[in-house]
Amino acid sequence: MLVLLVLAALPLIGIYLYNKAYHKRFVQFASIPQLPSSLVWGHLQIFDAYIKRGPRDRHPDLVFAEMLETLGKPPLMFVDLRPVNRPMVLVTSHEIAEQISKPSALFPTSVPKANLDYLNHVIGTTSILSAEGDHWKHLRKRFNPGFAPQHLLTHLPAILDKTLLFVDHLDKLARTNAEAPMLPLLVNLTFDIIGVVAMGVDLEAQRTEGQGELIKLFSQLLSCYLDDKADYPWWVIPNVELRRYRLGKRIDNIIRDIVRQKYQEYQRTTDDKSRSVLSLSFQDTNSLSPEVLHTTSDQLKSFLLAGHDTTSTTLSWVFYELMRTPRALKAVRDEVRKALGPDPDVNVIRSRLLIGLGADLLNKMPYMNAVIKETLRMHPPAATARTSPFGSSLTVRTPDGRSHCLDGTIIYNCESMIHRDPAIYGDTADHFRPERWLGDSHSASSKVPASAWRPFERGPRNCIGQEFANIEIRVIISLVVLRYDFIKVGMGELDKDDNGQPILDDAEQFRVKSHIYPTRQITIKPVDGMRMRVKFAASKV
Ligand code: HEM
């Protein structure tokens, strides 16, 4: 009897499951533009087919861009990655991105972050990067004073000292004419700087021999996130996950030792306390309880990651774009000479910046600012992924006035596409044009809505370190731009005419033999680590 009942129920169960799957695949998000989906695979197969159309290691943003092109570039695109991941909604319109990042009655600190558990071995479980609600508010309030504009210039000596070590490395490369990827050198430089800013510790990342243990372990750990399976669940990549766990544990132990030692120093100091991330973490604590030790260690790891990763990538693209754009290189050099003097000697520039005029001098370089802004527009190294819990009824409105419910999806504000929207940036959207950011209130830049440039994201969860990054990048450019010429080798190498001269294209940039593309390494990085040759600039020789 029972067997008969079960047999009778089977078709009903089958019909129920089919209807459920059909609804999820073809009905639930049908209002959002998307490529054809399949009942079994959703968009997994078609996504894979698009990946295969180009270099497999190109960043998913490039693959999404090609998919969007097929759909006629709508402001939203639905990509159903179930069962491998949650379904995703890609946002390419700045107006919709703004609806996600701004506070609302439904989400007072903006739409919650997507799950970052896969990064727990790097940033810990209580990180400011992944925290939500009151825990996040408490952390942000605690660290904000460390990033107040008046305070940031106190870091100038540390930035300058560490940049001089970087210059030593570049001098060696220039003397030997060796090629090297710039990114690892810039990673070491920015890691050294954030070590001082966050913890008041010299991490010795730039030592050629006997590099600091922490950066060695950090690099090894980050290299466990290099492929497209970076955020798969642990049971899909158990060996990688075990390696991440072991390295993460060793890093955590070192950081905890630093926290213990610094806590003792902190208690002994009676005068003005520093505003490093570490000192701010100790404020109002009576003892170094296991909980304080745990959260402090997590925040330090988070700042070490966020404070070096995107800044170094941005600098590598600045070197590249300046190399390709002779008018921009000339304008930046003229500006630096005017503000800091014609001597490319780094010690002279250092003294000029240190004699109390740092802020003034840096602010006198609007073209350099425009170069940085344009580099971040063309090559945004990060983005934000959010998620709206099931049943929360998060609805966004598209420019055509239609509403879409995004519950249960990962919402990805895709800066690389928002920043190249021709509706905002016109027919030069794909060209490097720092000039677009210069000029008075009637100029083109004033017509770009603030929300259409968002490399640091916007709203309450925007980047706490953005002003610091800006100062750091400006100082580093000031120290190296007169001294060296950077020459790309391999991908992105300049094309030459019969006389061996580079050729200008219509956008007034030098033509390249092949384009260098970005890849995914937690954030977005140039695929070859920005391989370059460094030469002393003519003015230096
Ligand atoms: C060019 C350099 C940088 C870029 C493009 C950048 C970009 C971003 C972006 C897009 C976010 C939002 C991430 C998300 O929503 O998941 C973010 C958050 C954050 N960034 Fe940056 N960042 C840069 C430099 C820095 C630096 C130098 C620091 C530290 C000194 C820093 C610390 C942080 C922190 C702690 C957060 C989390 C803020 C919060 O949720 O309250 N960043 N950054």
Side-chain angles (χ1 to χ4, degrees):
M1 182 65 181
L2 189 65
V3 174
L4 279 180
L5 272 176
V6 170
L7 284 177
L10 274 180
L12 292 176
I13 294 171
I15 291 169
Y16 171 79
L17 289 178
Y18 174 83
N19 281 339
K20 191 113 185 136
Y22 187 90
H23 177 81
K24 280 184 187 283
R25 291 292 191 214
F26 303 121
V27 180
Q28 194 179 12
F29 297 104
S31 73
I32 307 176
Q34 55 190 285
L35 290 169
S37 187
S38 111
L39 185 68
V40 179
W41 298 107
H43 291 118
L44 282 169
Q45 270 180 331
I46 204 158
F47 184 56
D48 192 51
Y50 272 82
I51 291 178
K52 286 180 183 147
R53 289 181 177 190
R56 293 198 66 116
D57 57 351
R58 70 198 187 287
H59 194 276
D61 278 13
L62 298 183
V63 182
F64 293 138
E66 291 156 30
M67 294 165 75
L68 269 154
E69 188 84 42
T70 312
L71 291 172
K73 297 193 175 181
L76 285 180
M77 176 173 74
F78 178 68
V79 187
D80 195 347
L81 302 175
R82 291 172 287 192
V84 172
N85 210 333
R86 275 190 172 202
M88 192 179 82
V89 173
L90 194 87
V91 177
T92 66
S93 138
H94 72 99
E95 285 152 328
I96 306 174
E98 197 68 0
Q99 296 170 43
I100 302 302
S101 65
K102 73 175 187 200
S104 63
L106 188 58
F107 299 117
T109 59
S110 73
V111 178
K113 292 271 190 96
N115 187 324
L116 285 180
D117 282 358
Y118 77 105
L119 280 180
N120 277 355
H121 299 302
V122 187
I123 59 175
T125 50
T126 68
S127 165
I128 183 171
L129 290 159
S130 53
E132 289 295 339
D134 287 346
H135 175 52
W136 168 76
K137 268 195 211 157
H138 167 79
L139 290 170
R140 183 81 184 212
K141 199 167 157 211
R142 184 172 279 266
F143 296 129
N144 271 338
F147 294 89
Q150 325 80 282
H151 175 68
L152 290 177
L153 282 170
T154 59
H155 298 305
L156 205 52
I159 300 175
L160 285 163
D161 289 348
K162 295 299 181 190
T163 310
L164 291 192
L165 298 178
F166 175 63
V167 166
D168 285 346
H169 284 284
L170 295 185
D171 273 8
K172 261 183 227 140
L173 288 175
R175 276 191 218 105
T176 54
N177 199 28
E179 347 171 330
M182 287 298 112
L183 198 53
L185 294 179
L186 288 162
V187 161
N188 291 343
L189 164 61
T190 47
F191 201 77
D192 257 356
I193 294 173
I194 193 67
V196 179
V197 172
M199 323 192 279
V201 170
D202 184 355
L203 294 174
E204 300 181 325
Q206 295 187 87
R207 281 176 63 158
T208 346
E209 279 156 34
Q211 197 191 26
E213 186 66 5
L214 201 54
I215 177 77
K216 275 201 271 187
L217 293 171
F218 228 90
S219 316
Q220 285 172 32
L221 179 56
L222 296 185
S223 70
C224 302
Y225 287 88
L226 291 194
D227 68 14
D228 56 353
K229 296 179 207 62
D231 50 2
Y232 278 20
W234 70 266
W235 42 268
V236 182
I237 42 169
N239 291 344
V240 180
E241 190 63 15
L242 184 64
R243 191 167 152 70
R244 288 177 185 170
Y245 168 80
R246 287 190 175 139
L247 288 163
K249 197 84 199 132
R250 286 173 69 190
I251 291 172
D252 200 54
N253 286 339
I254 298 180
I255 300 268
R256 282 176 186 232
D257 282 347
I258 295 175
V259 177
R260 286 192 198 93
Q261 186 203 327
K262 290 281 174 181
Y263 190 72
Q264 287 180 0
E265 287 172 22
Y266 178 84
Q267 283 183 312
R268 282 199 297 269
T269 321
T270 45
D271 51 321
D272 238 9
K273 307 269 187 194
S274 105
R275 287 204 218 162
S276 71
V277 172
L278 196 53
S279 299
L280 293 167
S281 304
F282 293 152
Q283 265 180 14
D284 316 319
T285 54
N286 303 323
S287 70
L288 193 57
S289 63
E291 198 200 332
V292 173
L293 187 61
H294 176 190
T295 20
T296 307
S297 159
D298 283 359
Q299 307 323 317
L300 288 177
K301 290 187 288 186
S302 306
F303 274 92
L304 286 183
L305 176 71
H308 88 274
D309 182 277
T310 40
T311 311
S312 51
T313 306
T314 305
L315 276 158
S316 74
W317 284 113
V318 168
F319 292 175
Y320 174 70
E321 292 295 358
L322 285 180
M323 174 209 76
R324 278 197 67 191
T325 326
R327 70 173 196 290
L329 180 60
K330 182 177 177 317
V332 172
R333 282 181 169 164
D334 287 349
E335 216 175 56
V336 172
R337 281 196 198 97
K338 202 165 156 213
L340 299 165
D343 196 337
D345 185 325
V346 280
N347 287 305
V348 175
I349 300 176
R350 176 178 182 276
S351 328
R352 294 271 297 157
L353 282 168
L354 272 183
I355 50 176
L357 297 171
D360 249 19
L361 292 178
L362 289 174
N363 290 335
K364 273 189 195 142
M365 299 197 264
Y367 195 93
M368 190 197 286
N369 278 348
V371 164
I372 298 168
K373 204 162 175 187
E374 184 69 346
T375 304
L376 283 166
R377 181 185 75 84
M378 300 265 307
H379 310 286
T384 194
R386 307 298 180 94
T387 191
S388 171
F390 288 104
S392 56
S393 303
L394 171 76
T395 304
V396 291
R397 188 172 279 271
T398 44
D400 62 7
R402 298 178 68 193
S403 294
H404 303 274
C405 177
L406 304 188
D407 278 11
T409 64
I410 294 174
I411 306 155
Y412 178 46
N413 278 2
C414 184
E415 326 299 12
S416 67
M417 270 177 264
I418 294 171
H419 285 180
R420 294 192 189 211
D421 184 350
I424 305 291
Y425 294 101
D427 51 10
T428 60
D430 288 328
H431 300 159
F432 181 77
R433 280 184 60 86
E435 294 78 9
R436 77 174 83 242
W437 301 111
L438 298 171
D440 54 26
S441 57
H442 304 295
S443 67
S445 70
S446 62
K447 295 195 188 97
V448 174
S451 57
W453 185 82
R454 43 195 316 127
F456 298 104
E457 258 304 321
R458 289 168 50 85
R461 300 303 299 261
N462 70 356
C463 174
I464 196 174
Q466 54 188 290
E467 249 326 290
F468 177 74
N470 247 313
I471 292 178
E472 193 179 2
I473 293 171
R474 278 183 282 168
V475 170
I476 295 168
I477 299 175
S478 300
L479 256 71
V480 302
V481 76
L482 297 183
R483 194 175 177 85
Y484 308 107
D485 285 325
F486 293 93
I487 300 144
K488 186 78 188 68
V489 289
M491 245 181 254
E493 187 173 325
L494 297 187
D495 204 2
K496 303 266 175 72
D497 63 15
D498 295 343
N499 301 319
Q501 294 303 311
I503 310 154
L504 275 181
D505 63 15
D506 294 344
E508 290 178 73
Q509 283 202 294
F510 287 139
R511 252 177 25 200
V512 288
K513 287 183 184 166
S514 64
H515 283 283
I516 174 168
Y517 58 88
T519 189
R520 182 175 183 215
Q521 297 179 8
I522 299 184
T523 52
I524 313 174
K525 303 221 167 64
V527 65
D528 67 345
M530 203 56 87
R531 250 192 129 62
M532 286 183 153
R533 195 167 272 139
V534 183
K535 274 174 127 181
F536 289 119
S539 56
K540 158 83 175 80
V541 184

